[in-house]
Amino acid sequence: MYIAHISISEFRGIKSLDWSPSPSVNCMIGPGDSCKTTILDAIEIGLSPRFGYTGSDPDLFGCDPSSRPEICLTLVDLPDELIMEQKYGLYLRGWNESDKKVNDEKADGDQTALTVKALLDPETLEWRWEVFNERLEGEPPRFGFKDAKSIAPNRLGEYADRHLTWGRNSVLGRLEKGPNASELLASSVRQAKASFAAGDRTSFDDVVKLTEKVGADFLVPKAQGYEAQLDIHAGMLASGAVSLHDGNMPLRTLGSGSSRLMVAGVQNSGPKQNITLVDELELGLEPHRIMRLLRFLRSGFPQEGYAPPILHQTFLTTHSPVVVCELDVAELFCVRNSAGSVAVNCARPIEGQAEMAQRHVRSNPHAFLAPRLLIGEGRTEVGFWRGLDDLWCVEDKESFAYQGVVAIDGGGNDNAVKLGLHMQKLGYSCFALLDTDVDVSEANKQKFKDAGGQVAEWIDDCDIERRIFLDVPWAIVREIVDYALKVVGEGRVLNNLRLADTGPADIDRATLDTLADSEANRKWLASAATLKVENKPGIKEDRSWFKDMTRGEQLGKIVFGCLQDIPETPLAKTINEVRQWVDA
């Protein structure tokens, strides 16, 4: 069984939401307060009827007493006991997987579906659960606790230790077979009381006699006479008092990460499909254990007598790039909240380019965790903006991180635009800074702009290095060359200058140190700094000086000091345009 469709209205921060999740893993990513955890809470409430369960004003959208929270969950692959006519067979609906649509009357090709609705009464703040379809007349049938117990989701929160006991709603309690844990406990309590009664209780006699006298003075009825007896009631010794132990050590004392791994393994290792809810999956886990858990949740463990392995539906949230990188692009869902209207969009493009999108997930997982993206052509640009950001912070300007901006490597002009278009459609805000020394698809660029993306380009057929060499003061050019000599060596610098086709071929260190300021020399240095040499037909070796994030970062710090002296240059104007977008 799994959830095919989720509809939520006026619940907490969600005014409206309609989502058709994946039958397997659904990893929700998005900025804080986009209601990711609220979605997990809604699923848990919707499939966990509890007698007398009450909500509170914060459960009402905007704390408005006139709102009426509703959670509708449409289930498919239902267990046989729920679709019998004497149960809910008369109220079944149809689910069209290709159209992602719930049909009130099941049509040809539809899967059998059942919609469970949870409603919160704003006056009494009590939840009630019912079976929903549009054909119903009169009072809808209630969805009962016993029916929900077998399909209720397992919530793996910050503390998983309760699931390692035989509690009422714990994983072990649901999996138990044979005598009920409560029955065994009741028997143990009776044996303990009998053992206590058979012991020496004379130390209680004085207190017992005093209490009897007080009772008599106040005319309190007495049946047989007072005596000290062992009294173990449900609040002190319930089924949750039985827990798994490793020798004499309870497993509930494991660390949070180990507890979560144990519980996840237990709850998804049975012969029945489960719905699992995990908030902040990475909590307490190292990267290698995150990967192990995710692979288990995605594939399941083979069960004896069951082939293939049973797949479980999982809803999880994360803020970890390790989790994002490990997942398939089809398992990532971007959550965006606009004044309560919540959209959940799969990161996999609807129209092709899935392979390109998967590359983005692998190469830039952190990009999917930020609301705003500054996309450069390559690694130099990423480092350059990091360097500027560091020094802007020194000047008390807001950092990129504070503004929710992450600079990322677009992997080339065309790829940068395609990445920006893809991310823009998913609800991210994107700014693409492009080189003009290579062609870029005007059609893709226009699509990106039409989707709300912003574009800036280095003018005059330039990449970032060429623009810097052309615009900064000559003293800064000298400083940049000195930095190149330091990080790539004198041999690489001089050899590149000799191979660059815009300058003399007999350059040496003495000539380099006395080089005069001219446009020709600036272009020569820029060509050498970005040189690519074709050693084999069709294969070029990149011999550039700054194609590295760390070097790009230092380049940005060198340039930063002169920006106020060159405000009218294309370099300074473009940097200012980016800064205005960051601060917007």
Side-chain angles (χ1 to χ4, degrees):
M1 184 206 71
Y2 65 90
I3 301 171
H5 185 264
I6 300 171
S7 175
I8 304 172
S9 62
E10 299 186 349
F11 175 60
R12 297 183 186 170
I14 302 176
K15 186 175 183 180
S16 62
L17 177 148
D18 280 283
W19 177 29
S20 299
S22 160
S24 53
V25 173
N26 298 269
C27 179
M28 292 180 281
I29 53 177
D33 298 323
S34 57
C35 292
K36 302 184 297 295
T37 300
T38 300
I39 295 172
L40 296 185
D41 292 342
I43 295 171
E44 184 176 27
I45 290 172
L47 293 181
S48 303
R50 283 159 277 182
F51 178 75
Y53 180 62
T54 59
S56 60
D57 280 347
D59 289 334
L60 309 175
F61 179 71
C63 292
D64 182 358
S66 65
S67 67
R68 304 189 67 84
E70 292 186 359
I71 302 166
C72 286
L73 304 175
T74 299
L75 311 170
V76 298
D77 282 355
L78 298 159
D80 293 338
E81 59 267 23
L82 293 185
I83 61 177
M84 295 186 296
E85 186 172 321
Q86 61 268 36
K87 206 44 138 169
Y88 304 114
L90 298 177
Y91 313 106
L92 298 176
R93 310 173 85 191
W95 169 250
N96 189 301
E97 178 64 31
S98 58
D99 294 339
K100 302 294 182 185
K101 180 182 177 183
V102 180
N103 295 316
D104 207 52
E105 293 279 2
K106 183 181 177 183
D108 290 342
D110 285 357
Q111 294 176 261
T112 300
L114 179 71
T115 299
V116 178
K117 178 189 284 189
L119 308 95
L120 179 62
D121 188 323
E123 295 181 1
T124 65
L125 293 177
E126 289 188 352
W127 285 95
R128 74 176 190 273
W129 291 263
E130 59 188 40
V131 173
F132 172 79
N133 68 36
E134 297 172 1
R135 308 187 306 274
L136 286 171
E137 296 180 1
E139 185 73 16
R142 294 298 178 95
F143 191 68
F145 172 78
K146 289 184 178 180
D147 296 322
K149 186 177 181 180
S150 62
I151 64 171
N154 298 310
R155 182 72 176 260
L156 197 58
E158 183 176 356
Y159 302 103
D161 55 341
R162 71 179 183 88
H163 286 293
L164 296 174
T165 71
W166 272 264
R168 175 180 293 182
N169 293 315
S170 72
V171 170
L172 298 185
R174 293 177 186 174
L175 293 177
E176 72 180 19
K177 296 180 180 179
N180 186 281
S182 298
E183 296 174 5
L184 294 175
L185 281 169
S187 176
S188 299
V189 168
R190 294 187 186 103
Q191 293 177 30
K193 290 179 69 175
S195 177
F196 184 86
D200 182 4
R201 292 176 287 163
T202 56
S203 60
F204 300 101
D205 288 350
D206 290 343
V207 176
V208 170
K209 290 176 181 177
L210 174 62
T211 309
E212 269 191 333
K213 182 178 183 306
V214 172
D217 289 344
F218 286 99
L219 303 179
V220 177
K222 181 177 65 172
Q224 297 178 351
Y226 293 177
E227 62 178 341
Q229 290 282 8
L230 191 63
D231 181 18
I232 305 175
H233 52 80
M236 297 173 59
L237 186 59
S239 57
V242 180
S243 68
L244 282 175
H245 283 59
D246 181 2
N248 292 323
M249 184 66 67
L251 288 186
R252 59 180 175 77
T253 61
L254 289 171
S256 59
S258 296
S259 295
R260 294 174 120 220
L261 287 172
M262 289 284 291
V263 171
V266 170
Q267 69 188 13
N268 282 351
S269 294
K272 189 173 67 173
Q273 284 181 304
N274 288 317
I275 297 172
T276 301
L277 311 176
V278 189
D279 205 3
E280 302 289 355
L281 178 134
E282 64 274 12
L283 186 66
L285 296 174
E286 307 94 322
H288 71 277
R289 295 210 291 176
I290 289 175
M291 296 176 190
R292 182 72 185 95
L293 176 56
L294 281 173
R295 288 174 183 172
F296 167 65
L297 292 174
R298 294 169 70 191
S299 61
F301 283 159
Q303 303 297 310
E304 187 175 351
Y306 298 93
I310 294 173
L311 299 180
H312 305 277
Q313 189 176 37
T314 303
F315 295 87
L316 61 95
T317 69
T318 188
H319 291 100
S320 167
V322 176
V323 176
V324 173
C325 185
E326 186 66 18
L327 290 172
D328 187 273
V329 67
E331 297 168 329
L332 292 171
F333 292 83
C334 302
V335 182
R336 292 294 182 273
N337 187 340
S338 176
S341 179
V342 178
V344 184
N345 296 312
C346 183
R348 188 182 192 277
I350 297 175
E351 300 176 0
Q353 297 183 335
E355 186 177 335
M356 181 195 71
Q358 189 65 58
R359 286 202 305 272
H360 297 330
V361 170
R362 296 284 188 262
S363 60
N364 290 304
H366 55 288
F368 287 80
L369 301 171
R372 307 174 68 201
L373 306 177
L374 175 58
I375 307 172
E377 185 272 342
R379 290 167 294 172
T380 305
E381 285 84 349
V382 175
F384 182 79
W385 293 112
R386 287 171 63 94
L388 292 183
D389 184 37
D390 286 345
L391 296 181
W392 271 323
C393 290
V394 173
E395 291 191 345
D396 291 331
K397 289 189 177 182
E398 301 294 0
S399 68
F400 281 19
Y402 183 86
Q403 300 286 32
V405 173
V406 172
I408 63 172
D409 176 4
N413 267 5
D414 251 347
N415 282 334
V417 173
K418 290 176 182 177
L419 171 60
L421 176 60
H422 177 53
M423 301 302 281
Q424 196 74 32
K425 288 181 177 179
L426 291 175
Y428 297 82
S429 176
C430 301
F431 188 112
L433 180 58
L434 306 177
D435 296 345
T436 50
D437 59 338
V438 293
D439 293 333
V440 60
S441 167
E442 289 297 328
N444 286 339
K445 194 192 306 183
Q446 190 59 48
K447 287 179 182 178
F448 175 56
K449 292 179 180 178
D450 291 343
Q454 191 168 335
V455 175
E457 300 178 86
W458 302 114
I459 66 171
D460 299 331
D461 295 331
C462 285
D463 54 20
I464 188 171
E465 293 98 329
R466 185 177 295 271
R467 193 69 265 165
I468 289 171
F469 275 106
L470 290 175
D471 289 352
V472 299
W474 185 250
I476 301 299
V477 171
R478 296 295 324 170
E479 188 175 345
I480 291 171
V481 173
D482 288 343
Y483 177 64
L485 288 166
K486 178 181 177 181
V487 294
V488 301
E490 181 179 320
R492 167 78 70 87
V493 170
L494 294 177
N495 197 38
N496 277 20
L497 286 166
R498 295 183 188 110
L499 293 173
D501 57 9
T502 56
D506 58 350
I507 183 74
D508 57 20
R509 180 62 186 269
T511 306
L512 176 62
D513 289 341
T514 59
L515 206 62
D517 182 8
S518 69
E519 183 176 354
N521 282 340
R522 286 171 178 267
K523 290 181 177 179
W524 179 30
L525 289 169
S527 297
T530 57
L531 186 69
K532 293 181 180 179
V533 179
E534 187 170 346
N535 292 326
K536 297 180 181 179
I539 300 176
K540 290 187 176 181
E541 178 191 356
D542 190 344
R543 296 178 56 84
S544 55
W545 298 342
F546 308 113
K547 289 298 181 188
D548 174 275
M549 194 178 298
T550 302
R551 295 173 190 173
E553 190 170 345
Q554 185 60 33
L555 188 62
K557 291 179 178 179
I558 293 171
V559 169
F560 182 86
C562 72
L563 290 177
Q564 61 184 358
D565 301 324
I566 53 171
E568 298 305 316
T569 61
L571 175 67
K573 287 182 177 180
T574 301
I575 290 174
N576 187 53
E577 184 181 354
V578 173
R579 184 69 230 190
Q580 288 177 350
W581 175 81
V582 170
D583 293 333

